[in-house]
C-alpha cells in the first residue's frame, strides 16, 4: 500500500511558520540549516491551521541550534509559540518517514515537514487528549488515515511496540492503540493479533527458515520476555 501525499499546500502564514521565519532571520547567513519539524506544528502548517500548540518541536544536526533559538528570543520563556529544540530520538515514528516528507525554505534554512501519517504515528507514544484531537482534525480535513492505512503503516513500524529502554518513560504504543481505536474508528482493536503478529509473520516469510526467532521477538515486543 502506497501512502499518497495528503497536503496540497503548506500554509506559511500560520503561527508556527511565522515563528520559523523569525528563526531563519536570526541564524548566521553564511551557513545552511536543515531543520525537521514534528509534533503539532507540521499539521498546523500542512493540514489544519487551528491546531495550535505552545511549542514548535524541531531537531537539527547543528548542535548550536538551541543556542541560536535562545539568542533570537524564541525559546519557551520568551515567545509563543516557542521553538523547542530536541533530539531526533524523540521523533519515534515509521522508518519510512524521510522518503515521503515535504520541505519549504526560509532564507538559508530548509525546514522538513514529515508526512501527516508519520506525525500521527509519533503521537501514539504519548497520546494525550490533544493528540487524539489531532487525529480527528486530520481525518476530518483529509479523510486519512483510514483504519486500513494506519494498520498497514504500524505493521511497518513494528519496533515502536517494544517496551521503552528507560523504565521511567513508558511508551505504551499498543495500549494507546487500544485507547485510540474506539474513539476514531468506532471499534476495539487487539494490537498483538492485528498488528504485531502479522508483521512478524511477514518477517518470517522474508527470512525463510534461516531467520531470527520471531516467537522470541514477539515476546520482546509484547514485554513478556523473562528478565
Amino acid at each position: 500500500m502506497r501512502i499518497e501525499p495528503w497536503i496540497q499546500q503548506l500554509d506559511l502564514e500560520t503561527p508556527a511558520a511565522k515563528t520559523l521565519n523569525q528563526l531563519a532571520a536570526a541564524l548566521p547567513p553564511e551557513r545552511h540549516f536543515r531543520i525537521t519539524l514534528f509534533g503539532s506544528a507540521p499539521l498546523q502548517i500542512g493540514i489544519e491551521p487551528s491546531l495550535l500548540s505552545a511549542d514548535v518541536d524541531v531537531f537539527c544536526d547543528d548542535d548550536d541550534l538551541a543556542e541560536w533559538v535562545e539568542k533570537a528570543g524564541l525559546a519557551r520563556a520568551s515567545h509563543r509559540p516557542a521553538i523547542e529544540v530536541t533530539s531526533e530520538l524523540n521523533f519515534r515514528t515509521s522508518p519510512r518517514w524521510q522518503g515521503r516528507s515535504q520541505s519549504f525554505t526560509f532564507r538559508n534554512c530548509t525546514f522538513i515537514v514529515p508526512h501527516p501519517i508519520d506525525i500521527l504515528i509519533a503521537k501514539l507514544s504519548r497520546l494525550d487528549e490533544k493528540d487524539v484531537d489531532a487525529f480527528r482534525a486530520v481525518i476530518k480535513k483529509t479523510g486519512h488515515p483510514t483504519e486500513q492505512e494506519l494498520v498497514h503503516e504500524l505493521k511497518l513500524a513494528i519496533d515502536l511496540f517494544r517496551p521503552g529502554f528507560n523504565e521511567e518513560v513508558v511508551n505504551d504504543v499498543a495500549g494507546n492503540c487500544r485507547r485510540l481505536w474506539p474513539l476514531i474508528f468506532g471499534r476495539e482493536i487487539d494490537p498483538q493479533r492485528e498488528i504485531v503478529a502479522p508483521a512478524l509473520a511477514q518477517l518470517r516469510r522474508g527470512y525463510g527458515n534461516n531467520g531470527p526467532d520471531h516467537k522470541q521477538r514477539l515476546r520482546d515486543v509484547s514485554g513478556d520476555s523473562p528478565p
Side-chain angles (χ1 to χ4, degrees), residues 1-7 10 34 36-37 42 91-103 111-122 145 148-158 160:
M1 177 186 295
R2 183 173 181 269
I3 298 295
E4 300 292 339
W6 303 347
I7 296 175
L10 299 173
R34 184 179 174 87
T36 300
L37 317 181
F91 185 41
R92 300 183 69 247
T93 191
S94 168
R96 309 172 79 196
W97 76 267
Q98 294 190 56
R100 54 193 179 197
S101 61
Q102 297 188 41
S103 66
F111 293 98
I112 308 302
V113 182
H115 192 288
I117 199 165
D118 297 311
I119 297 297
L120 294 177
I121 288 172
Q148 183 183 15
E149 287 171 335
L150 189 53
V151 167
H152 174 77
E153 289 297 321
L154 288 173
K155 287 177 182 177
L156 296 173
I158 188 64
L160 294 178

Side-chain angles (χ1 to χ4, degrees), residues 175-207:
N176 288 338
C177 285
R178 286 190 290 269
R179 287 176 49 213
L180 178 75
W181 242 253
L183 299 173
I184 300 299
F185 300 116
R187 73 170 183 94
E188 304 290 335
I189 189 172
D190 181 347
Q192 293 299 123
R193 181 176 62 83
E194 299 183 53
I195 298 173
V196 175
L200 297 183
Q202 187 173 357
L203 275 173
R204 185 181 300 112
R205 289 193 296 271
Y207 280 115

Side-chain angles (χ1 to χ4, degrees), residues 194-224:
E194 299 183 53
I195 298 173
V196 175
L200 297 183
Q202 187 173 357
L203 275 173
R204 185 181 300 112
R205 289 193 296 271
Y207 280 115
N209 294 325
N210 298 317
D213 183 350
H214 291 292
K215 288 185 178 179
Q216 179 60 46
R217 189 170 184 185
L218 178 58
R219 291 192 290 271
D220 291 343
V221 171
S222 63
D224 293 336

